[in-house]
Amino acid sequence: MIPGWVRDELEALRASDSYRTLRPLEGPCGPRVRVAGREMLCFSSNDYLGLAADPRLAEGAARAAREWGAGAGASRLITGTLDLHAQLEQDLARLKGCEAAVLFSSGYQANLGVLTALGRGGVILSDELNHASIVDGCRLARARVEVYRHADPADLEQRLRAHAGPSRKVVVTDGVFSMDGDLAPLPEILEVAGRHGAIVVVDDAHATGVVGNGRGTAHHFGIRHEGLVVMGTLGKALGAFGAFVAGPRAVRDLLVNRARSLIYTTAIPPPVLGAARAALEVLQAEPDRIERLAAHTRRLRQGLRQAGFPVPDLPTPIVPVILGGNRAALTWSEKLWDRGFWVHPIRPPTVPEGTSRLRITVSSEHDPADIDALTEALAELLRSDPAARQAPEAHP
Ligand SMILES: *Cc1c(COP(=O)(O)O)cnc(C)c1O
């Protein structure tokens, strides 16, 4: 017997247009996907450089599987650390311009690990629009958590001032915000944090492979900062799976000793490591992918602006069309679906109440004509539903 509350909760989700389902692809991830028996233009994945289904990554995975097997056999601290882990960690540290890096099984786990290890018993200052995995990391750290106003170094400073004293302080922010596509004001955050003796952790899940020549938020701002701790994922622009934290060697060593989401889980398996390694090689061999992504980003943002959407000129391929309520986001998404575009609706708790939206993402492998077609379809929807024009701007 299923307890009644399970059905009640599902019913409540349906009643508030918050219910979610899983939609299986019938082929590989890419700018065009097969789903529900149709070919759709996909503008919702995080596969920004079109690497997820690149044959070179698949071959990297296959080769690693042939040479090293399917599994790592243990957690990292026991017998699960392979040369493959060590090599990839070195490559990732180099990509980020950091002393050292350590792998985690996912970005979610990386954020849990870094925040619990660095924040334990201290104060964590977290941007209000940070990713759910950061929110969960804050909760798990049993730290005092101060949520500061989005991308607001002045509010951050005020809160840091209230915690003057010897306790540990960690400031954590998305580098590129996952649902808004804006950038954290990292230079100002580092300055404020520096004045108050706080460590800064930047989540580069959507920045790695995308901004700063693919090297992330710090590089985008031209910052070289020895103390910065950077989390990045291998599952988005890098097309594979897994994640890492890069930073000073001492931070890496502390994570190896203290990050429970790293210690108490089986090491990343060889095929995943082989794919990630191949992704870094493609990134290096084909810098034009990042340039093409930037061009497509400009094209999409310009097109939407001309169509009347309040879209700022930013260097990130994440463009929200904020519609307000859940129903509006679902309806717009369905209308686009009928026209052959898959643009996923994003609703609370992923975004704040009243800011349900379409989250559009482009990839370097989209066809410019496909981007124009999407822009035209959205322009048409706006003409038929001008209420959307009054939707709040993401963050003016
Ligand atoms: C996706 C995402 C993560 C989680 O990374 P995974 O490797 O997918 O677990 C963490 N932070 C942000 C900002 C993200 O968008």
Side-chain angles (χ1 to χ4, degrees), residues 98-157:
C98 293
E99 244 175 34
V102 62
L103 290 163
F104 283 80
S105 301
S106 73
Y108 185 90
Q109 280 164 278
N111 278 335
L112 296 191
V114 74
L115 291 170
T116 50
L118 299 180
R120 219 158 61 120
V123 185
I124 302 177
L125 298 104
S126 175
D127 187 289
E128 65 181 330
L129 294 187
N130 275 344
H131 189 259
S133 56
I134 295 178
V135 175
D136 292 357
C138 289
R139 290 175 178 155
L140 204 56
R142 289 191 268 190
R144 169 132 193 197
V145 179
E146 288 274 351
V147 175
Y148 64 89
R149 279 186 27 207
H150 176 56
D152 187 342
D155 188 45
L156 170 63
E157 175 139 49

Side-chain angles (χ1 to χ4, degrees), residues 33 35 151 157 166 168 188 227 229 244 263 298 387 395:
V33 294
V35 55
E157 175 139 49
R168 305 170 169 215
E188 292 82 359
V229 178
F244 61 93
I263 297 170
R298 283 192 299 275
H395 301 286

Side-chain angles (χ1 to χ4, degrees), residues 305-348:
R305 241 186 338 266
Q306 275 161 12
F309 292 94
V311 172
D313 189 16
L314 292 169
T316 74
I318 302 167
V319 184
V321 171
I322 297 179
L323 295 159
N326 289 350
R327 180 61 10 221
L330 288 170
T331 304
W332 277 54
S333 180
E334 280 158 17
K335 286 183 175 167
L336 288 173
W337 179 271
D338 293 342
R339 292 164 166 80
F341 303 101
W342 187 356
V343 184
H344 206 75
I346 307 286
R347 293 164 279 169

